[in-house]
Amino acid sequence: MKKFIIALAMGAMALLPLPAQAATPTNAPDAAAFAAQETLANQWIETMIVQQKPEEAYKLLSPTAQKQIAQDKVVKAGKDIQAKWGKMQALGFVAWERFTQADRISYVMKFEKAPAVHCMLIFDKQGGLENFVLGEMQQNKDAKNQKTQSDKK
């Protein structure tokens, strides 16, 4: 299962040279919203994760988000990312999703200490960055246990 997850992450990262904009028709009514959100997402990832400047990344959050999320929590999250996973080595675009009240952009990232990390950025309908979530994609432990048991037989 671990190989499957790594293969899935590597497959997503293989799309790196293809900009996400190339997958969106330019005449679609949502193309402008996607382009603006993707630009902001790239700025946030560059600032928060690559340059490791969470104080500057906090400024990229919408005014509404800044009222709801304390800056020290974002700074702590930035330090935790660096300590837990190290430097980001690769980034792969996964999806852009539109919902009634918000939009979401998803990425898969590879770090020094984590082969697959899922990153979701949440945007309001005005295009402001509202929140972010990063989580390491874990191996399915049941599949690992089954393989270990079958190897013992």
Side-chain angles (χ1 to χ4, degrees):
M1 185 64 171
K2 184 177 182 180
K3 290 179 183 177
F4 174 75
I5 292 173
I6 292 173
L8 180 64
M10 292 302 180
M13 288 180 219
L15 298 175
L16 271 176
L18 176 66
Q21 294 162 329
T24 304
T26 55
N27 61 351
D30 296 331
F34 171 70
Q37 290 175 8
E38 181 190 31
T39 299
L40 182 55
N42 288 332
Q43 289 173 340
W44 185 86
I45 291 167
E46 177 69 24
T47 306
M48 179 76 165
I49 298 173
V50 176
Q51 296 176 358
Q52 300 172 349
K53 296 180 180 178
E55 297 87 359
E56 295 298 316
Y58 180 79
K59 295 174 185 174
L60 295 172
L61 295 173
S62 72
T64 304
Q66 289 181 13
K67 290 177 186 174
Q68 296 174 352
I69 302 170
Q71 183 174 1
D72 62 331
K73 287 188 178 188
V74 174
V75 170
K76 183 182 181 320
K79 291 178 181 178
D80 290 347
I81 290 167
Q82 182 181 3
K84 186 175 181 180
W85 298 324
K87 292 182 180 180
M88 186 178 75
Q89 297 177 326
L91 172 70
F93 175 81
V94 176
W96 179 63
E97 300 168 284
R98 295 219 85 176
F99 299 100
T100 305
Q101 297 178 358
D103 299 332
R104 176 173 61 195
I105 296 180
S106 299
Y107 295 92
V108 173
M109 301 173 170
K110 180 179 184 218
F111 286 82
E112 292 171 318
K113 301 175 190 174
V117 173
H118 186 246
C119 173
M120 288 190 302
L121 301 172
I122 310 300
F123 296 87
D124 61 22
K125 283 301 182 179
Q126 292 72 41
L129 181 56
E130 288 294 308
N131 212 334
F132 61 92
V133 178
L134 284 98
E136 189 170 355
M137 298 168 68
Q138 296 293 327
Q139 178 181 352
N140 183 339
K141 294 192 187 325
D142 289 337
K144 182 180 178 183
N145 290 338
Q146 288 174 357
K147 179 161 176 54
T148 303
Q149 290 174 359
S150 66
D151 289 345
K152 290 179 182 178
K153 292 181 180 178

